[in-house]
Amino acid sequence: AFVIRSANVNVNPMATFFSLAALFYAEGVREGDRPGRCAALAGAMAGLATVSKYPSVLVCLAVALAIVLARRSWGEKLRLLVTSGVATAVSAAVAMPALVLNPAAVVKQVRFQSTVYQRHAVGSYWDQAVVRAEWDLPLEHPELGLTFLILTAAGLAVALGDRRWRKPVLGWLLFALATFALFAQYRFRAFRNLLPLVPLGCVLVALLYARVREALPPRPRWALDLVAAALPALLFTPAILQFSRFQLAVDDSREQAVRWLTRHTGPAHRVLFTEELEFLPHRIESLRAQTAVRPWQTARSRILRQRFHYVVVPGFLDPEGRPLIAPPLAERILQRYEIATRFGSKSPFQIQGGFKGNEQLICILEKKSPAANR
């Protein structure tokens, strides 16, 4: 689930990391000899998880439960809860000042995202977990697989039945149930929303292994160790190999466009990139030409004024022939420019915003000569 997202810049692994860090320090509150320090760190990590991805604020429930279940006086527990809460608020505000400086905009964005998630009926968490990974990932294998889920469930049962592990696992279970309850209400269901729970599943499988190993006599343990070492390779190697083959063959349409411009432009040329295509800045800077990057709303007026020798825009039509740029505007642009080359085969969701893949449609337009315009 994480390997197949490793080639993309994504907020979900960051939210996962900070959620796990919060749970780690929460255990220090319950078991450690410096509970105040651990409560502050757990809260700080929860705050960073929250600003990485807002639903990760639910990890605060697990942190609070760890403090409540600690063998400490109620007065000390209250102090630790306040410490953790203040640390959460401070770290979130430092990492994302808009929470304090412009909270109305944050609330507006959260409501907008909630509306989008409710409006679009896409995906099934179960199918992505055990049949085929999230639809926008190049993988014909499940995110986890049925074997992993069965082992996780068995590990959960074992952990809840063991006094050593019951308290922390109760916090994880609370976090998981709250996460499921939040996302189950939406029609848009992408497995990335559940990523913070995946490492906890891995730990539960490890606890199952540890418990079974404890129950065995010393001599048969080596056989269990071999099985435990081999199982991840058997379960996940085919999927990782498929993903690796795909990644090795990827040639991003933006890279193809930059290579073409490198061959066809020099210091005397001016090139305009539309911001929504999201070219890496250092790749644009590698060109010898004079370059500019502008949002589409700004870029289109400059395109019509013919200020640039080359313009890099989304494709005019998607693969089904539907316009990505409004036909009247496209006609005006093509009166002034000709299509020098095209790359990619898939349309972005829309001209402004939307997720970008490796094969998004890109057109490079070359300015027509004055004679051609006449």
PDB file of all heavy atoms in Angstrom, residues 70-85:
ATOM      1  N   ALA A  70      -3.835   5.169  31.715  1.00  0.00           N
ATOM      2  CA  ALA A  70      -2.562   5.115  32.439  1.00  0.00           C
ATOM      3  C   ALA A  70      -2.794   4.912  33.937  1.00  0.00           C
ATOM      4  O   ALA A  70      -3.794   5.367  34.500  1.00  0.00           O
ATOM      5  CB  ALA A  70      -1.775   6.396  32.188  1.00  0.00           C
ATOM      6  N   ARG A  71      -1.856   4.240  34.587  1.00  0.00           N
ATOM      7  CA  ARG A  71      -1.958   4.004  36.037  1.00  0.00           C
ATOM      8  C   ARG A  71      -1.435   5.230  36.782  1.00  0.00           C
ATOM      9  O   ARG A  71      -0.357   5.225  37.364  1.00  0.00           O
ATOM     10  CB  ARG A  71      -1.153   2.765  36.419  1.00  0.00           C
ATOM     11  CG  ARG A  71      -1.737   1.469  35.862  1.00  0.00           C
ATOM     12  CD  ARG A  71      -0.903   0.284  36.285  1.00  0.00           C
ATOM     13  NE  ARG A  71      -1.445  -0.958  35.769  1.00  0.00           N
ATOM     14  CZ  ARG A  71      -0.878  -2.158  35.939  1.00  0.00           C
ATOM     15  NH1 ARG A  71       0.253  -2.238  36.633  1.00  0.00           N
ATOM     16  NH2 ARG A  71      -1.431  -3.232  35.435  1.00  0.00           N
ATOM     17  N   ARG A  72      -2.228   6.275  36.743  1.00  0.00           N
ATOM     18  CA  ARG A  72      -1.844   7.524  37.391  1.00  0.00           C
ATOM     19  C   ARG A  72      -3.087   8.115  38.051  1.00  0.00           C
ATOM     20  O   ARG A  72      -4.227   7.722  37.761  1.00  0.00           O
ATOM     21  CB  ARG A  72      -1.246   8.500  36.378  1.00  0.00           C
ATOM     22  CG  ARG A  72      -0.058   7.908  35.597  1.00  0.00           C
ATOM     23  CD  ARG A  72       0.597   8.895  34.678  1.00  0.00           C
ATOM     24  NE  ARG A  72       1.607   8.241  33.834  1.00  0.00           N
ATOM     25  CZ  ARG A  72       2.828   7.948  34.235  1.00  0.00           C
ATOM     26  NH1 ARG A  72       3.222   8.257  35.465  1.00  0.00           N
ATOM     27  NH2 ARG A  72       3.681   7.353  33.420  1.00  0.00           N
ATOM     28  N   SER A  73      -2.883   9.063  38.933  1.00  0.00           N
ATOM     29  CA  SER A  73      -4.006   9.696  39.612  1.00  0.00           C
ATOM     30  C   SER A  73      -4.818  10.502  38.607  1.00  0.00           C
ATOM     31  O   SER A  73      -4.308  10.936  37.563  1.00  0.00           O
ATOM     32  CB  SER A  73      -3.510  10.611  40.726  1.00  0.00           C
ATOM     33  OG  SER A  73      -2.832  11.734  40.173  1.00  0.00           O
ATOM     34  N   TRP A  74      -6.099  10.729  38.938  1.00  0.00           N
ATOM     35  CA  TRP A  74      -6.938  11.493  38.024  1.00  0.00           C
ATOM     36  C   TRP A  74      -6.464  12.932  37.891  1.00  0.00           C
ATOM     37  O   TRP A  74      -6.604  13.549  36.825  1.00  0.00           O
ATOM     38  CB  TRP A  74      -8.391  11.440  38.485  1.00  0.00           C
ATOM     39  CG  TRP A  74      -9.049  10.149  38.065  1.00  0.00           C
ATOM     40  CD1 TRP A  74      -9.334   9.081  38.849  1.00  0.00           C
ATOM     41  CD2 TRP A  74      -9.445   9.808  36.735  1.00  0.00           C
ATOM     42  NE1 TRP A  74      -9.901   8.080  38.095  1.00  0.00           N
ATOM     43  CE2 TRP A  74      -9.981   8.502  36.783  1.00  0.00           C
ATOM     44  CE3 TRP A  74      -9.409  10.470  35.506  1.00  0.00           C
ATOM     45  CZ2 TRP A  74     -10.478   7.845  35.674  1.00  0.00           C
ATOM     46  CZ3 TRP A  74      -9.898   9.817  34.383  1.00  0.00           C
ATOM     47  CH2 TRP A  74     -10.424   8.525  34.469  1.00  0.00           C
ATOM     48  N   GLY A  75      -5.878  13.463  38.931  1.00  0.00           N
ATOM     49  CA  GLY A  75      -5.323  14.815  38.818  1.00  0.00           C
ATOM     50  C   GLY A  75      -4.192  14.867  37.821  1.00  0.00           C
ATOM     51  O   GLY A  75      -4.097  15.795  37.001  1.00  0.00           O
ATOM     52  N   GLU A  76      -3.310  13.853  37.864  1.00  0.00           N
ATOM     53  CA  GLU A  76      -2.198  13.808  36.912  1.00  0.00           C
ATOM     54  C   GLU A  76      -2.703  13.545  35.501  1.00  0.00           C
ATOM     55  O   GLU A  76      -2.200  14.127  34.528  1.00  0.00           O
ATOM     56  CB  GLU A  76      -1.196  12.737  37.326  1.00  0.00           C
ATOM     57  CG  GLU A  76       0.072  12.755  36.484  1.00  0.00           C
ATOM     58  CD  GLU A  76       1.110  11.767  36.960  1.00  0.00           C
ATOM     59  OE1 GLU A  76       0.805  10.947  37.853  1.00  0.00           O
ATOM     60  OE2 GLU A  76       2.241  11.798  36.421  1.00  0.00           O
ATOM     61  N   LYS A  77      -3.713  12.683  35.379  1.00  0.00           N
ATOM     62  CA  LYS A  77      -4.272  12.411  34.055  1.00  0.00           C
ATOM     63  C   LYS A  77      -4.844  13.689  33.439  1.00  0.00           C
ATOM     64  O   LYS A  77      -4.653  13.951  32.251  1.00  0.00           O
ATOM     65  CB  LYS A  77      -5.368  11.353  34.157  1.00  0.00           C
ATOM     66  CG  LYS A  77      -4.871   9.949  34.463  1.00  0.00           C
ATOM     67  CD  LYS A  77      -6.038   8.980  34.588  1.00  0.00           C
ATOM     68  CE  LYS A  77      -5.571   7.585  34.969  1.00  0.00           C
ATOM     69  NZ  LYS A  77      -6.697   6.634  35.109  1.00  0.00           N
ATOM     70  N   LEU A  78      -5.537  14.473  34.247  1.00  0.00           N
ATOM     71  CA  LEU A  78      -6.107  15.719  33.734  1.00  0.00           C
ATOM     72  C   LEU A  78      -5.007  16.668  33.263  1.00  0.00           C
ATOM     73  O   LEU A  78      -5.112  17.298  32.206  1.00  0.00           O
ATOM     74  CB  LEU A  78      -6.953  16.383  34.818  1.00  0.00           C
ATOM     75  CG  LEU A  78      -7.630  17.701  34.427  1.00  0.00           C
ATOM     76  CD1 LEU A  78      -8.561  17.508  33.238  1.00  0.00           C
ATOM     77  CD2 LEU A  78      -8.386  18.281  35.616  1.00  0.00           C
ATOM     78  N   ARG A  79      -3.934  16.749  34.051  1.00  0.00           N
ATOM     79  CA  ARG A  79      -2.806  17.599  33.662  1.00  0.00           C
ATOM     80  C   ARG A  79      -2.190  17.130  32.351  1.00  0.00           C
ATOM     81  O   ARG A  79      -1.855  17.943  31.477  1.00  0.00           O
ATOM     82  CB  ARG A  79      -1.757  17.601  34.769  1.00  0.00           C
ATOM     83  CG  ARG A  79      -0.529  18.452  34.461  1.00  0.00           C
ATOM     84  CD  ARG A  79       0.445  18.444  35.616  1.00  0.00           C
ATOM     85  NE  ARG A  79       0.963  17.124  35.904  1.00  0.00           N
ATOM     86  CZ  ARG A  79       1.959  16.536  35.206  1.00  0.00           C
ATOM     87  NH1 ARG A  79       2.522  17.178  34.185  1.00  0.00           N
ATOM     88  NH2 ARG A  79       2.384  15.347  35.543  1.00  0.00           N
ATOM     89  N   LEU A  80      -2.051  15.827  32.191  1.00  0.00           N
ATOM     90  CA  LEU A  80      -1.466  15.278  30.969  1.00  0.00           C
ATOM     91  C   LEU A  80      -2.377  15.498  29.764  1.00  0.00           C
ATOM     92  O   LEU A  80      -1.899  15.762  28.653  1.00  0.00           O
ATOM     93  CB  LEU A  80      -1.173  13.785  31.154  1.00  0.00           C
ATOM     94  CG  LEU A  80      -0.089  13.441  32.183  1.00  0.00           C
ATOM     95  CD1 LEU A  80      -0.043  11.947  32.433  1.00  0.00           C
ATOM     96  CD2 LEU A  80       1.271  13.956  31.714  1.00  0.00           C
ATOM     97  N   LEU A  81      -3.695  15.402  29.982  1.00  0.00           N
ATOM     98  CA  LEU A  81      -4.634  15.664  28.886  1.00  0.00           C
ATOM     99  C   LEU A  81      -4.538  17.110  28.421  1.00  0.00           C
ATOM    100  O   LEU A  81      -4.552  17.397  27.217  1.00  0.00           O
ATOM    101  CB  LEU A  81      -6.060  15.347  29.338  1.00  0.00           C
ATOM    102  CG  LEU A  81      -6.439  13.863  29.440  1.00  0.00           C
ATOM    103  CD1 LEU A  81      -7.787  13.704  30.128  1.00  0.00           C
ATOM    104  CD2 LEU A  81      -6.481  13.222  28.047  1.00  0.00           C
ATOM    105  N   VAL A  82      -4.447  18.031  29.386  1.00  0.00           N
ATOM    106  CA  VAL A  82      -4.311  19.450  29.027  1.00  0.00           C
ATOM    107  C   VAL A  82      -2.995  19.689  28.290  1.00  0.00           C
ATOM    108  O   VAL A  82      -2.945  20.402  27.271  1.00  0.00           O
ATOM    109  CB  VAL A  82      -4.402  20.327  30.288  1.00  0.00           C
ATOM    110  CG1 VAL A  82      -4.043  21.779  29.961  1.00  0.00           C
ATOM    111  CG2 VAL A  82      -5.802  20.249  30.889  1.00  0.00           C
ATOM    112  N   THR A  83      -1.907  19.090  28.786  1.00  0.00           N
ATOM    113  CA  THR A  83      -0.597  19.232  28.130  1.00  0.00           C
ATOM    114  C   THR A  83      -0.652  18.749  26.688  1.00  0.00           C
ATOM    115  O   THR A  83      -0.180  19.426  25.758  1.00  0.00           O
ATOM    116  CB  THR A  83       0.468  18.437  28.902  1.00  0.00           C
ATOM    117  OG1 THR A  83       0.577  18.948  30.225  1.00  0.00           O
ATOM    118  CG2 THR A  83       1.824  18.534  28.198  1.00  0.00           C
ATOM    119  N   SER A  84      -1.251  17.576  26.505  1.00  0.00           N
ATOM    120  CA  SER A  84      -1.350  17.010  25.159  1.00  0.00           C
ATOM    121  C   SER A  84      -2.201  17.891  24.259  1.00  0.00           C
ATOM    122  O   SER A  84      -1.845  18.151  23.099  1.00  0.00           O
ATOM    123  CB  SER A  84      -1.943  15.603  25.235  1.00  0.00           C
ATOM    124  OG  SER A  84      -2.121  15.061  23.946  1.00  0.00           O
ATOM    125  N   GLY A  85      -3.339  18.374  24.776  1.00  0.00           N
ATOM    126  CA  GLY A  85      -4.222  19.208  23.970  1.00  0.00           C
ATOM    127  C   GLY A  85      -3.579  20.515  23.555  1.00  0.00           C
ATOM    128  O   GLY A  85      -3.698  20.941  22.400  1.00  0.00           O
TER     129      GLY A  85
END
